[in-house]
Structure formats: C-alpha cells, structure tokens
Amino acid sequence: MKLVTLAATLAFTTSNAVTAADFGEFGISIYGGESFSSDIETSRHQKYELEDDSHFGISIDKYVPQGRYGFYYGTTETQLTAYPLNKVEMEYLFFQSAVVRPLTENLDVYLGAQIGATFVNPNFIDSDTFFATGLYTGLEYDVGAGFHFGAQVRWIATMLNNGSKVTCDLDPATENTCSWHFDDELMRQYQASATLSYRFSL
C-alpha cells in the first residue's frame, strides 16, 4: 500500500512539473493575422507608404528545456498607398530561437530573436533579397492532445540596399529614375498573429 501511495505521489509531482512547453520534442505552427509596415524612403528621398495587409506563416521548431529553436517562413502581399496598382509581395525566411517560461500549468510565454532574409518582389521592378532580423513574443495555451492556441507579435527589420543592382541617375530632372532605389534604408514591419501549434515526439 505504501508503494502505491509513493508511486501516486511521484506521478502527481512529475505531472505538475511538466509545463506546456514540455509536451513533445517538435512543433509545427501556423500563423495568420495583420501586417503593419513603416514608411520607406528611397535614395532620392521619395517616401512611400505600404498598405497594412494580412499575412500567413509557418514554423517548425525543436523544443528543449525552457526554450525552442527552428525555422520560420512567412508571406504577405501589399501595395503602395499612393499607387494601388504597384503591388509588393514579400517572403520571409528566418532562423529563430526563443526562451519559453510557464505562466500557469497550461499557459506559456516566450520571447525570441530571429535572423535571415526578406525576399521582396514588386510587380513593377526586379525582385531582390535583403538581410533581415527582429524579435518576437507571444503566449501559447495547451488545449490538449498536443494542440496549442496562442497569440504572437513579431517585429521584422529589413535592411533595404539595392544600390548594386540598380543604376541611379542623380539628375533632378529625372525624378522617377530612382523610384525604387534604396541605400541602407531600414524597413520596419510588425505582424500580429493568431497561432495554432501541434507538438509531437519522434
């Protein structure tokens, strides 16, 4: 009888020590929500405003004690506010890593950093790839059977510099020559997402 009581006590203690982040070694997450972009300024000091638009993303992560790391892919399509026919499609590929901490038995909070590239594909000029980095944070709630619902905010900083690919005419009389030419311009974007994750072990 004492052995049964001891085993039950150990099982209860172990189950209480397991947080939501401990359910499964790997996780697949999908993201959907709204993207918000800062104004961007060309090398000729022309400012463009990008429309806020929806985005979609997916990530694959490896979970470790009190943390996780993996890869994130996201995509969004927006347009220039002043020129609605000028569309800009963006894709993101990041390596990401986060610290995970439990708030309650089923609720985790996480904070992480990312590094990678943003692929920018306008419909009015050649596409280009730029270095990008950023931070992300969120909450995840364990609803059972390996599924987690959550919310996330992601900040993406992309360094726009395509001086090596586009010739820029400095003659003021040809103001449109540099209409999409950047020289170390920082584009800041924010993504607010609802998330759904599934965690599993191999």
Side-chain angles (χ1 to χ4, degrees):
M1 186 65 180
K2 290 183 178 180
L3 289 176
V4 173
T5 303
L6 179 60
T9 302
L10 288 174
F12 178 77
T13 303
T14 303
S15 65
N16 281 344
V18 175
T19 69
D22 296 319
F23 193 101
E25 295 180 82
F26 299 92
I28 298 177
S29 303
I30 57 174
Y31 309 80
E34 192 79 3
S35 292
F36 309 90
S37 301
S38 64
D39 293 349
I40 52 178
E41 184 174 341
T42 70
S43 57
R44 289 290 299 276
H45 306 295
Q46 295 173 290
K47 285 191 175 182
Y48 291 114
E49 180 183 355
L50 297 173
E51 286 285 299
D52 300 335
D53 215 322
S54 60
H55 68 267
F56 172 79
I58 186 170
S59 70
I60 300 176
D61 292 284
K62 172 73 167 67
Y63 285 81
V64 295
Q66 299 188 331
R68 69 188 197 189
Y69 60 90
F71 292 94
Y72 171 84
Y73 168 81
T75 181
T76 186
E77 183 175 313
T78 183
Q79 62 191 34
L80 304 185
T81 301
Y83 308 95
L85 295 180
N86 288 1
K87 309 292 185 182
V88 182
E89 181 182 354
M90 299 187 195
E91 296 177 276
Y92 314 93
L93 182 61
F94 298 125
F95 173 78
Q96 61 181 15
S97 180
V99 174
V100 182
R101 293 291 186 271
L103 294 180
T104 67
E105 184 178 353
N106 294 316
L107 181 65
D108 286 348
V109 62
Y110 57 89
L111 173 65
Q114 62 196 9
I115 188 170
T118 299
F119 179 74
V120 181
N121 183 25
N123 68 352
F124 51 90
I125 201 169
D126 290 342
S127 60
D128 211 338
T129 302
F130 305 101
F131 171 78
T133 186
L135 302 171
Y136 64 103
T137 186
L139 298 168
E140 281 193 332
Y141 185 81
D142 182 3
V143 296
F147 290 97
H148 299 70
F149 288 120
Q152 183 189 94
V153 176
R154 187 178 293 263
W155 172 64
I156 301 172
T158 301
M159 183 61 68
L160 302 177
N161 187 343
N162 55 7
S164 63
K165 295 188 66 174
V166 179
T167 300
C168 185
D169 185 354
L170 298 180
D171 184 355
T174 56
E175 60 178 358
N176 291 323
T177 302
C178 302
S179 60
W180 194 255
H181 181 278
F182 301 97
D183 185 14
D184 294 334
E185 172 70 7
L186 184 65
M187 178 176 65
R188 296 174 297 276
Q189 295 178 295
Y190 305 88
Q191 295 181 344
S193 305
T195 67
L196 173 62
S197 302
Y198 177 69
R199 299 183 193 172
F200 58 94
S201 297
L202 298 178

